[in-house]
Amino acid sequence: MLGLANSLHAQLYGLPEERPALPGALDELLQATGYDDDHSLVLEQVAAQLEAAVVLIRRARHRGRYLPEAVTSRLGSSEDLAQQVVAELRELAPSLKNVGRSVPVQAVRLPPRPAAPSGLTRH
């Protein structure tokens, strides 16, 4: 509906069409996007969210000193898998860029990732 309202408003007043930035939360992103959206930006947004998830997994793994070795190992595997998915999404996103889009969309940028704690090794 928002896209239709923006388009109608722009046409009535001779303004350029604009769309709001993509939401950061994945459930909101799912509700805000459709089949006609620029999915390269959507995948970039998902990749950014997964990068944040990698940091959270890393924190849990490093702060959980008293976790069983099997849990620490699985967290490490989950971190590696999430990083692979991020890389794949970023590689594939440009191939989904819509060529005929008339309405610009901007992805929401997340703050930079914190540096990995020094001196800690992966189990």
Side-chain angles (χ1 to χ4, degrees), residues 8-102:
L8 181 60
H9 184 262
Q11 289 175 7
L12 287 174
Y13 295 102
L15 302 172
E17 292 184 37
E18 291 183 17
R19 288 190 51 154
L22 293 174
L26 291 177
D27 57 342
E28 292 174 7
L29 182 63
L30 179 60
Q31 292 174 3
T33 57
Y35 291 104
D36 60 340
D37 286 308
D38 187 344
H39 288 280
S40 65
L41 292 174
V42 173
L43 288 183
E44 178 58 38
Q45 189 73 354
V46 171
Q49 290 292 336
L50 279 174
E51 280 184 329
V54 167
V55 172
L56 292 172
I57 293 168
R58 187 176 299 134
R59 284 181 187 168
R61 192 166 49 92
H62 290 304
R63 290 185 181 167
R65 296 179 195 144
Y66 304 106
L67 292 174
E69 181 63 32
V71 172
T72 303
S73 175
R74 288 180 71 187
L75 285 171
S77 296
S78 297
E79 180 183 336
D80 292 341
L81 181 59
Q83 287 175 328
Q84 289 174 3
V85 172
V86 167
E88 286 290 319
L89 290 176
R90 291 232 159 97
E91 185 177 322
L92 294 171
S95 65
L96 297 176
K97 196 169 239 2
N98 290 348
V99 255
R101 287 203 50 83
S102 61

Side-chain angles (χ1 to χ4, degrees), residues 1-6:
M1 287 303 279
L2 182 59
L4 179 60
N6 281 341

